[in-house]
Amino acid sequence: MGILLLKRLGMMLLVMLVVAFLLFLANEGDPYSIARGVLGPYAQQEQLTIWLQEHGYDKPILVRFLEWLGRVVTGDLGVSVQYKRPVAEIFWSRLGNTGILAAATFAIMVPMALILGVLAGMKEGSFLDRFISVLSIGTTSVPEYASAVLLSVIFVYSLDLLPGSSAMSNGFDIMQLILPTMVLVLYGFGYIARMTRASMAEVMTTHYIRTAILKGIPYKRVIVKHALRNALIAPFTVIMLQLNWLLSGVVVTEYAFGYKGFGALLLDAALRKDIFVIEACGLAAVFVAVLSQTIGDIGYTLLNPRIRFN
Amino acid sequence: MRSKYRFIGRATRALGGEIHEYIPEIAEQHRTGLVDRREFVRTAALLGMAAPAAYGMSGLLTGNRFIPEAMAQGKPGGTLRMAMPVQDMTDPATFPWVEKSNIARFLVEYLTVTGTDNITRPYLAERWEASADLKTWTFYLQKGVKWSNGDDFNADDVVAAVTRWLDPATGSSNLGLFDAMVEQVDSGKKDENGNAVMTKQGIAGAIEKVDDHAVRFNLKSAALAMPENFYNYPTAITHRGFGKDYEPDLSKNPIGTHAFELAEFRIGEKAVLRKNRDWWKGNFYLDEIHYIDLGEDLNAAVGAIASDQVDMIYQLGVTQLDIIERLPNVDIHEAVTAQTGVLRMQVDQKPFDDIRVRKAVQACMDRQALLDIAYRGRGTAAEDHHVAPLHPEYFQLPALKRDPEKAKALLAEAGYADGIELTIDVGDTNGPWETAVCEAFKTQCEPGGIRLNINKMPSNQYWEVWDKTPFGLTTWTHRALGTMVLSLGYRSGVPWNETHFASAEFDAALSEAEGTLDVAERTKKMEKPQQILQDAAVIPQPFWRSIFKAANKRVKNFKTHPTFYHQFENVYLDDA
């Protein structure tokens, strides 16, 4: 297990290094575009050249990459063009905000999806199964920007129950978290529920379940003791992949509610060509992707003893 | 007649002012109905007469007493929360957008202030005088105003600020606005072809300190709009040390003359202005003003005002009007403006260097249809010369007619017998109506043989190419005078000349109109620059649009300024 962990970590670092290099190449391959971004559209060619020399952009790209990597590792993410502040100052708090949103979403979405999926999969073709399946397909096919408007119409404009924007300009407010969380849960739960249902339905047809039922073990016990653990292997991977989806899914949701998170930051940076912010966000996204993959793989082996990575 | 003149002079002096020698004449024009009250008061105020005196005089002359709208007595205190982008706030002289100036407006102030009624009144300048030829302007400054760092406000501040604007190194758009104080000189540099690069800079001696509280501006040509130009959004007066003794960054060095301090400033999130002393100008009801950035999605702002998270929305799109109208606690404030968008073409880039191509594009446009489709008809059709019917000097030219056949013929003549493919950049910098205009225009272009591609880009990216792209839709804000925007955008070689249109004839005609005091005469003189610009077909211009703000009903005494400038001194909250 220890060796597996080390191998996985090594792989993770390698992937990150490669992606980081690609990210760097895409953003800083053309130094003039950086200088133009920082100095603005009115800057003269000479000013650009001077700026580039002052900031060491006349060195070979590999040297620049290693220097940049060194700075990133020590926590220096550069200075944001649009915010005129070190990226690290804004970045971590924004990432934290998205962390809060993601945690709230997961805390509701995962149990709800698993319960509904198991309920549906227990008796394939039953009314409950049909109902849950249609519901999950329905909600998953509504994109976030549409459900954001729909939920706003219901809870903000009609019922006047919830705040319509989530900028949290006066500090953290749990009420402002509800609508964005609802949008994400609504979109995300269906997928996990469907996967759980399929997995559960498959397990329910196996011989050992049939045997267990015929043996006279109470139905509840069969589900909880025998079916569930096996049925949860496939959804576990899906849940881990949802972590990645969340990072991109939040862009739309955060934008719709003015939530000050990672997604809104990335969108703003991309629109304004704020390259140091884009790089930081890119690295974070890669890190989450690789990490969730690794956790997924390791968790898989723990859940299913038959799987071994050698 | 003679006695009338003397009477006006005596009446004015009794009210405490020297009068400009033109005032009796325009007064007579007003009495005989040649000039309406709005224009009389505006011009008299520009010439240094106090606005109440001008209104009073108008009543005496016409017999129609003007009773100003009674201003309700407000309740002091409270916090006004405004949904608006919070961008960086460095140098007020180089502000490219009004939003930045709105936050700065409660720190640094202006020499003059133009109200929602288009009348320019004294502000940091307590009064001003113009010479008979309008070439020498003396601004007398308020005494007893203090900067937030304890320094006295005086002529040195004004001289330092205006000098900075006219220094090409500052990069301020004011350089184009104050053209009468600017000369073209050899920068000492050569371009790629070895030709001398010319640059614009302030004329030595144009800015003169008379005494501690008076500044004189010596212009090379007459300019009536001087007081109005001092209320353009990048013309806030900064402290004399700004950019000299300390970094020109207002968010780091928020030294101002206003009563507010910058208590909190987080770009992209929030700016908090807190009143921390009495305002030298008098009453100011609000204690705090919060600007809250809700991102670019207007729906978040609409949601915020619906659930009472903000009191006002900086700007509404026409598509949001329906939902806002249904909110019981919110009022919509509309202002008819000279805000517009122009489909401007760069005259030195192919294929737009051929006037026939530009004329063909112009001939395809049905302006009223674009207004109806893209802006729900909430505005007025425009005429491709960037002077609006609401501008006092507007000269009405014959209406432009759509003629696709003519477009076809022009294109054939220019060598595009099979039609031409053009691509327009659009950034929706002021809302999705811009793309809607392009989409509708695309259809209008087809019968004329023009295949229009639309290159939609994020608004910030558009602002990077707005003065470079051969063909793009650029939005322009409202300005009180038509001549202001013509000077800023269409004079040869000024920083904001995005079309690269250069016509000595146009420049001369515009200068002549700018220098003409007589309103009726000036209107006549505007025919020429308007016609030249229209004939050059550099800016097919669909319409002038009304603008909308939303405000909670508790916000009282608020009026939408056509330029989106925030003037909150009379605003109070009903539940404060």
Side-chain angles (χ1 to χ4, degrees):
Chain A
M1 193 69 200
I3 295 168
L4 170 73
L5 216 62
L6 274 180
K7 268 190 185 166
R8 284 270 125 197
L9 278 177
M11 200 62 199
M12 220 177 110
L13 281 177
L14 194 68
V15 171
M16 284 205 62
L17 203 66
V18 172
V19 178
F21 183 68
L22 291 176
L23 195 65
F24 183 81
L25 209 62
N27 280 301
E28 301 199 27
D30 173 20
Y32 275 98
S33 75
I34 309 165
R36 183 147 308 278
V38 174
L39 298 178
Y42 302 107
Q44 304 291 313
Q45 192 66 28
E46 306 152 52
Q47 289 170 285
L48 298 179
T49 315
I50 293 170
W51 189 90
L52 288 173
Q53 278 166 359
E54 274 176 7
H55 292 80
Y57 280 96
D58 45 356
K59 293 179 203 158
I61 187 146
L62 210 59
V63 177
R64 284 200 282 128
F65 172 66
L66 291 175
E67 285 177 354
W68 172 76
L69 204 62
R71 286 197 301 271
V72 169
V73 169
T74 52
D76 175 9
L77 300 174
V79 175
S80 157
V81 176
Q82 61 163 320
Y83 294 94
K84 313 255 187 294
R85 279 191 296 167
V87 175
E89 266 182 41
I90 321 150
F91 178 73
W92 293 111
S93 74
R94 291 297 192 96
L95 198 61
N97 287 346
T98 293
I100 295 172
L101 185 58
T105 305
F106 260 63
I108 297 165
M109 179 174 76
V110 172
M112 185 170 121
L114 289 181
I115 291 171
L116 289 178
V118 167
L119 286 177
M122 268 168 18
K123 251 203 185 123
E124 217 181 339
S126 64
F127 171 76
L128 194 63
D129 176 28
R130 294 267 159 80
F131 176 75
I132 292 171
S133 295
V134 170
L135 180 78
S136 10
I137 293 173
T139 53
T140 306
S141 18
V142 182
E144 291 109 316
Y145 57 83
S147 56
V149 173
L150 197 71
L151 292 176
S152 293
V153 168
I154 298 171
F155 292 102
V156 181
Y157 300 113
S158 302
L159 301 176
D160 198 13
L161 281 176
L162 293 172
S165 73
S166 310
M168 312 227 176
S169 57
N170 291 324
F172 184 74
D173 174 6
I174 196 154
M175 294 301 282
Q176 296 186 25
L177 200 61
I178 297 177
L179 272 179
T181 307
M182 271 165 90
V183 169
L184 289 170
V185 168
L186 211 57
Y187 184 72
F189 96 90
Y191 190 41
I192 306 179
R194 296 272 301 156
M195 286 303 284
T196 314
R197 178 202 165 274
S199 177
M200 187 72 186
E202 198 188 320
V203 169
M204 290 307 283
T205 60
T206 53
H207 296 304
Y208 65 87
I209 295 292
R210 194 186 59 185
T211 312
I213 293 172
L214 291 178
K215 235 166 53 173
I217 302 176
Y219 192 63
K220 219 164 116 188
R221 210 176 135 91
V222 175
I223 300 291
V224 176
K225 273 272 177 186
H226 299 272
L228 220 48
R229 179 167 165 174
N230 286 308
L232 284 185
I233 299 173
F236 177 75
T237 327
V238 176
I239 293 169
M240 280 302 131
L241 288 176
Q242 292 295 88
L243 266 178
N244 283 326
W245 159 76
L246 254 188
L247 270 193
S248 58
V250 289
V251 175
V252 177
T253 312
E254 290 182 353
Y255 183 69
F257 294 103
Y259 188 82
K260 301 293 170 194
F262 170 85
L265 181 70
L266 179 58
L267 182 68
D268 260 3
L271 291 177
R272 294 177 173 79
K273 285 194 185 156
D274 197 346
I275 52 160
F276 302 111
V277 175
I278 298 176
E279 284 172 353
C281 292
L283 277 182
V286 173
F287 178 72
V288 171
V290 178
L291 186 73
S292 62
Q293 201 78 49
T294 310
I295 296 177
D297 287 350
I298 294 169
Y300 217 67
T301 59
L302 294 179
L303 277 171
N304 188 350
R306 282 176 302 187
I307 298 170
R308 287 282 175 268
F309 296 95
N310 291 316
Chain B
M1 189 67 88
R2 192 80 206 141
S3 63
K4 186 99 206 164
Y5 280 9
R6 248 179 284 138
F7 161 70
I8 292 165
R10 203 171 58 227
T12 319
R13 273 188 289 275
L15 288 161
E18 279 296 311
I19 65 161
H20 191 274
E21 64 179 55
Y22 176 67
I23 288 182
E25 199 175 311
I26 190 175
E28 182 56 24
Q29 289 182 354
H30 178 39
R31 192 184 66 81
T32 54
L34 268 173
V35 167
D36 67 4
R37 184 182 65 219
R38 206 175 73 145
E39 188 48 27
F40 166 72
V41 176
R42 197 189 73 87
T43 309
L46 286 181
L47 291 169
M49 190 178 217
Y55 272 118
M57 184 185 280
S58 167
L60 285 174
L61 289 168
T62 58
N64 291 325
R65 290 276 300 283
F66 174 75
I67 301 158
E69 226 177 291
M71 204 58 100
Q73 180 65 36
K75 297 174 185 169
T79 298
L80 181 74
R81 300 161 302 166
M82 167 76 89
M84 190 186 84
V86 177
Q87 301 160 330
D88 71 284
M89 186 173 66
T90 46
D91 183 354
T94 62
F95 281 165
W97 346 105
V98 173
E99 287 94 319
K100 294 187 185 192
S101 80
N102 274 339
I103 302 175
R105 215 167 276 279
F106 301 99
L107 301 166
V108 284
E109 298 175 282
Y110 296 78
L111 282 184
T112 60
V113 56
T114 306
T116 47
D117 55 0
N118 218 7
I119 309 293
T120 301
R121 297 177 172 82
Y123 195 4
L124 278 176
E126 61 172 12
R127 65 193 169 87
W128 52 84
E129 285 168 9
S131 64
D133 63 359
L134 297 181
K135 284 186 176 175
T136 311
W137 289 79
T138 312
F139 283 76
Y140 298 92
L141 308 180
Q142 291 282 356
K143 296 187 177 100
V145 177
K146 279 202 182 295
W147 291 96
S148 51
N149 68 355
D151 290 350
D152 278 318
F153 164 74
N154 61 33
D156 292 334
D157 299 305
V158 178
V159 170
V162 181
T163 309
R164 269 192 83 235
W165 303 341
L166 302 187
D167 177 356
T170 308
S172 171
S173 62
N174 295 336
L175 204 58
L177 195 61
F178 293 96
D179 188 65
M181 292 197 279
V182 168
E183 62 185 347
Q184 190 140 6
V185 293
D186 189 339
S187 65
K189 290 179 196 151
K190 303 264 189 236
D191 67 8
E192 292 148 10
N193 304 324
N195 300 322
V197 174
M198 302 301 276
T199 179
K200 293 206 166 201
Q201 65 174 44
I203 300 170
I207 310 153
E208 182 188 342
K209 177 179 169 182
V210 180
D211 60 41
D212 272 354
H213 290 92
V215 181
R216 186 169 295 140
F217 300 101
N218 303 304
L219 316 183
K220 66 176 183 200
S221 55
L224 173 64
M226 277 298 273
E228 272 164 349
N229 287 347
F230 278 113
Y231 193 61
N232 193 31
Y233 64 86
T235 58
I237 304 293
T238 41
H239 181 257
R240 67 198 80 124
F242 193 80
K244 198 168 78 183
D245 304 336
Y246 50 85
E247 197 188 344
D249 185 336
L250 194 66
S251 59
K252 287 184 189 157
N253 303 299
I255 300 171
T257 45
H258 213 301
F260 286 81
E261 62 168 349
L262 190 62
E264 209 180 314
F265 187 71
R266 299 199 306 272
I267 300 171
E269 293 181 26
K270 193 180 186 184
V272 173
L273 294 143
R274 189 173 295 140
K275 193 161 69 182
N276 70 344
R277 55 176 174 157
D278 286 335
W279 194 29
W280 60 267
K281 203 165 177 284
N283 202 10
F284 203 107
Y285 296 117
L286 301 169
D287 279 343
E288 287 190 24
I289 302 167
H290 292 191
Y291 285 98
I292 299 164
D293 191 326
L294 294 171
E296 291 200 16
D297 192 346
L298 269 177
N299 290 322
V302 175
I305 201 164
S307 52
D308 201 15
Q309 291 175 295
V310 295
D311 301 304
M312 284 174 92
I313 299 178
Y314 173 68
Q315 175 175 200
L316 278 184
V318 273
T319 43
Q320 270 92 29
L321 292 178
D322 292 340
I323 188 150
I324 294 284
E325 274 163 7
R326 286 163 193 236
L327 298 176
N329 58 337
V330 178
D331 286 328
I332 293 175
H333 297 258
E334 178 172 355
V336 175
T337 75
Q339 302 248 8
T340 187
V342 292
L343 280 69
R344 96 297 174 283
M345 296 173 267
Q346 236 167 29
V347 296
D348 48 6
Q349 296 222 44
K350 279 199 179 317
F352 304 109
D353 53 347
D354 188 334
I355 188 168
R356 290 169 297 195
V357 174
R358 304 202 302 266
K359 287 244 179 214
V361 176
Q362 189 179 38
C364 287
M365 187 177 276
D366 180 346
R367 291 153 186 83
Q368 186 62 42
L370 291 179
L371 174 63
D372 292 340
I373 296 167
Y375 213 68
R376 300 191 180 189
R378 309 285 283 251
T380 324
E383 293 149 9
D384 300 7
H385 50 61
H386 218 148
V387 180
L390 62 76
H391 285 137
E393 72 276 42
Y394 166 79
F395 183 90
Q396 190 166 12
L397 296 173
L400 292 165
K401 286 259 183 314
R402 176 163 185 255
D403 189 351
E405 287 309 313
K406 184 179 152 200
K408 252 188 187 155
L410 281 163
L411 285 179
E413 213 179 294
Y416 303 100
D418 299 332
I420 188 171
E421 190 163 331
L422 300 174
T423 301
I424 186 164
D425 289 335
V426 55
D428 284 355
T429 51
N430 273 343
W433 60 267
E434 294 170 37
T435 301
V437 163
C438 292
E439 297 278 2
F441 187 49
K442 182 188 168 90
T443 320
Q444 295 181 356
C445 279
E446 273 162 18
I450 297 171
R451 295 178 296 279
L452 188 67
N453 300 319
I454 300 164
N455 179 26
K456 195 167 180 313
M457 50 174 74
S459 62
N460 289 289
Q461 274 179 29
Y462 185 77
W463 287 125
E464 280 180 25
V465 300
W466 75 282
D467 56 347
K468 294 181 195 70
T469 174
F471 193 20
L473 194 159
T474 304
T475 50
W476 284 79
T477 190
H478 167 99
R479 285 179 176 82
L481 291 178
T483 50
M484 279 166 95
V485 65
L486 292 189
S487 269
L488 273 171
Y490 304 96
R491 266 186 196 283
S492 316
V494 290
W496 282 4
N497 186 330
E498 54 173 346
T499 59
H500 296 177
F501 171 70
S503 157
E505 199 189 355
F506 171 84
D507 294 350
L510 180 59
S511 295
E512 207 183 320
E514 274 180 329
T516 306
L517 201 44
D518 189 299
V519 184
E521 196 57 35
R522 181 151 35 100
T523 303
K524 270 187 226 154
K525 285 191 175 163
M526 281 303 281
E527 179 185 3
K528 198 171 170 191
Q530 284 179 212
Q531 189 73 60
I532 294 173
L533 198 56
Q534 192 188 59
D535 288 345
V538 289
I539 47 158
Q541 184 188 9
F543 51 79
W544 307 100
R545 65 190 184 103
S546 292
I547 58 157
F548 309 92
K549 266 181 197 298
N552 192 297
K553 284 192 179 1
R554 78 164 71 86
V555 180
K556 300 290 180 192
N557 274 353
F558 171 72
K559 282 184 182 162
T560 298
H561 199 275
T563 47
F564 287 109
Y565 294 178
H566 286 171
Q567 298 176 344
F568 291 156
E569 58 265 39
N570 295 318
V571 171
Y572 69 94
L573 302 174
D574 211 18
D575 54 3

